[in-house]
Amino acid sequence: MANTSQNIPYAINVETGRRIKPEEGSNNARKGLYECFNPECRNHVFVSISKNGRAFFKHYPNKNDVIDYKNAHSKSQDTHTRAIELLSHFFKNGLERKSPMPLLLFETPDGVQKILPFLPKCIIKKEFTIEAINKRIDLAIVDENNNPILLIEVNHKHPVPLEKEIALKQFWWIEVNAKDVINDPSNLVVRKHRNFPYEFDLLGAQDILF
Ligand SMILES: [Zn+2]
């Protein structure tokens, strides 16, 4: 598994405010141009090139950082909570148009299909309770009237139980793995989903679902 404290998939370019991949950055950039993508860290990072020529972001070995990056990336907060925090942050930024919306990745028989969720005027709610069925959802994307649009369950050792699946049957929902989210919150590998068009699984014909 990737070491998230030393192999950082994204950085924020502080001049443009954009989230970038290592291959979009320069390894001659001035210190301070790139910040760690992790909202709890935000320390400066730089582009490093591995022996086989792959670019990645790294933290500076600097003990004067505002926040100790090892702490920010550590397991002190539990994996499930960290994944929900990251998801919430990435969807919020997407909805506020500060960065692209996270993509949903469906592994279909025809290969991986990437879906861009298009969710105008939506709001992100953590630990959202749907009163009608008395269920709490890890992360809900709701409309202005609190109607669920897309529900996200984060699996860390506990997949969605069957009884909850049944309760959620009228909603669009996906399940993602906490570790996948922590590795890359902008490319969400969908492990389970319900109410998405059946044809989608087989053909992957649609690019935009909502
Ligand atoms: Zn960091």
Side-chain angles (χ1 to χ4, degrees):
M1 205 188 86
N3 178 348
T4 48
S5 73
Q6 275 310 319
N7 191 347
I8 303 157
Y10 301 98
I12 312 297
N13 179 324
V14 298
E15 276 174 13
T16 62
R18 295 185 71 94
R19 189 177 72 221
I20 60 166
K21 293 178 192 171
E23 51 275 24
E24 296 171 303
S26 157
N27 55 356
N28 294 317
R30 67 173 170 83
K31 186 176 177 181
L33 184 61
Y34 305 133
E35 274 180 9
C36 181
F37 81 109
N38 184 327
E40 287 146 34
C41 178
R42 284 291 159 93
N43 286 304
H44 296 149
V45 293
F46 62 96
V47 177
S48 179
I49 311 287
S50 73
K51 278 181 208 137
N52 49 20
R54 208 173 60 83
F56 58 98
F57 288 112
K58 263 180 105 165
H59 293 105
Y60 289 90
N62 182 355
K63 39 198 174 309
N64 299 324
D65 281 341
V66 189
I67 301 154
D68 177 6
Y69 75 77
K70 280 178 184 137
N71 245 335
H73 290 267
S74 82
K75 308 247 186 287
S76 59
Q77 202 187 7
D78 85 278
T79 305
H80 187 248
T81 310
R82 272 202 301 149
I84 295 172
E85 290 293 333
L86 271 176
L87 270 183
S88 166
H89 181 83
F90 271 65
F91 271 106
K92 247 184 203 145
N93 274 354
L95 290 170
E96 290 167 10
R97 300 176 196 194
K98 289 181 189 163
S99 53
M101 286 289 281
L103 291 172
L104 307 182
L105 271 56
F106 293 80
E107 283 166 7
T108 76
D110 293 334
V112 176
Q113 301 295 329
K114 293 187 178 187
I115 301 300
L116 173 72
F118 180 66
L119 302 159
K121 292 186 181 174
C122 282
I123 306 158
I124 298 292
K125 302 247 165 133
K126 281 180 276 186
E127 320 244 313
F128 178 75
T129 300
I130 303 176
E131 304 286 352
I133 55 169
N134 194 27
K135 292 286 174 214
R136 206 172 62 167
I137 309 300
D138 290 330
L139 198 76
I141 300 172
V142 300
D143 70 13
E144 296 150 302
N145 301 313
N146 266 347
N147 297 310
I149 304 297
L150 176 65
L151 306 175
I152 304 176
E153 284 282 283
V154 176
N155 176 0
H156 181 58
K157 294 175 187 162
H158 303 285
V160 178
L162 185 61
E163 166 264 336
K164 194 172 189 179
E165 281 199 25
I166 293 165
L168 291 178
K169 67 175 187 289
Q170 59 178 302
F171 302 103
W172 269 320
W173 65 268
I174 62 171
E175 183 179 83
V176 295
N177 286 348
K179 282 188 175 152
D180 290 344
V181 173
I182 289 165
N183 271 339
D184 188 349
S186 58
N187 287 289
L188 298 177
V189 182
V190 176
R191 298 295 180 178
K192 203 183 252 187
H193 61 88
R194 289 291 181 274
N195 286 326
F196 286 79
Y198 173 69
E199 295 84 349
F200 180 75
D201 256 359
L202 298 172
L203 301 170
Q206 274 173 279
D207 290 316
I208 294 179
L209 269 187
F210 303 100

